[in-house]
């Protein structure tokens, strides 16, 4: 994970498909996984998604599973300056849309099914930002050209 937190949540797991660790406690051994993929289907009791390698993964969802998405919201600081920030919002698992990018943390005891502890729906990358910038630049260029011809 070169670059640390660069890119926020999008950059944190940019190259990671799956991380797995084994934890031994007084209650036994638990395998904890963090996986990143694209949702194939979601229901109230399970989530199916595909890793970048094409491997299909299904995790169980229970009443303790936390599902979080991020929404852009306006924030005013103490100095009265307003800015936009990504704010977490809890949603129901069945609301996860196919095609959404997710980071799933799940665990399994005694090699049973993996149960999702937390599902984070990654924020979609801004679409059309480059196109909008290009359109703004083109409009500015036209305005400059028009001003130059009217002044002449």
């Amino acid at each position: 994970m070169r670059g640390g937190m660069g890119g926020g949540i999008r950059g944190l797991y940019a190259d990671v498909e799956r991380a797995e660790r084994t934890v031994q406690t007084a209650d036994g051994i638990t395998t904890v996984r963090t996986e990143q993929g694209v949702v194939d289907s979601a229901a109230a009791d399970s989530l199916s998604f595909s890793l970048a390698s094409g491997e299909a993964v299904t995790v169980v969802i229970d009443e303790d599973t936390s599902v979080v998405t991020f929404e852009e919201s306006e924030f005013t600081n103490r100095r009265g300056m307003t800015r936009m920030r990504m704010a977490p919002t809890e949603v129901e698992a069945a609301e996860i849309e196919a095609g959404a990018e997710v980071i799933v943390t799940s665990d399994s005891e005694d090699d049973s099914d993996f149960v999702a502890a937390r599902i984070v729906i990654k924020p979609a990358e801004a679409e059309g930002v480059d196109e909008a910038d290009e359109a703004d630049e083109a409009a500015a260029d036209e305005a400059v050209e028009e001003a130059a011809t009217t002044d002449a």
Side-chain angles (χ1 to χ4, degrees):
M1 293 191 311
R2 285 175 267 149
M5 288 287 293
I9 193 169
R10 284 188 212 103
L12 179 62
Y13 287 99
D15 298 330
V16 177
E17 182 174 277
R18 173 184 287 147
E20 185 171 292
R21 63 190 180 281
T22 303
V23 179
Q24 183 172 350
T25 64
D27 296 332
I29 295 176
T30 300
T31 302
V32 179
R33 282 186 180 168
T34 300
E35 299 168 299
Q36 176 176 225
V38 176
V39 174
D40 297 320
S41 65
D45 62 349
S46 68
L47 177 72
S48 296
F49 59 100
S50 298
L51 304 178
S53 64
E55 179 184 347
V57 178
T58 300
V59 294
V60 175
I61 295 174
D62 66 8
E63 64 277 352
D64 296 326
T65 301
S66 169
V67 182
V68 178
T69 187
F70 289 87
E71 295 178 359
E72 198 169 45
S73 67
E74 196 171 279
F75 168 72
T76 305
N77 65 16
R78 292 181 203 173
R79 295 182 181 176
M81 298 175 70
T82 302
R83 64 181 185 128
M84 300 304 286
R85 69 175 175 184
M86 299 302 284
T89 304
E90 293 239 6
V91 296
E92 295 296 320
E95 294 177 39
I96 303 172
E97 296 180 13
E101 291 184 50
V102 292
I103 299 172
V104 180
T105 302
S106 58
D107 56 56
S108 173
E109 295 177 5
D110 304 320
D111 293 327
S112 61
D113 290 335
F114 278 85
V115 178
R118 184 176 185 102
I119 301 169
V120 176
I121 304 168
K122 293 174 62 174
E125 293 194 36
E127 295 179 20
V129 171
D130 293 335
E131 293 169 7
D133 289 344
E134 289 174 14
D136 289 345
E137 286 179 23
D141 290 343
E142 284 179 28
V144 168
E145 286 175 22
E146 189 175 311
T149 55
T150 20
D151 289 343

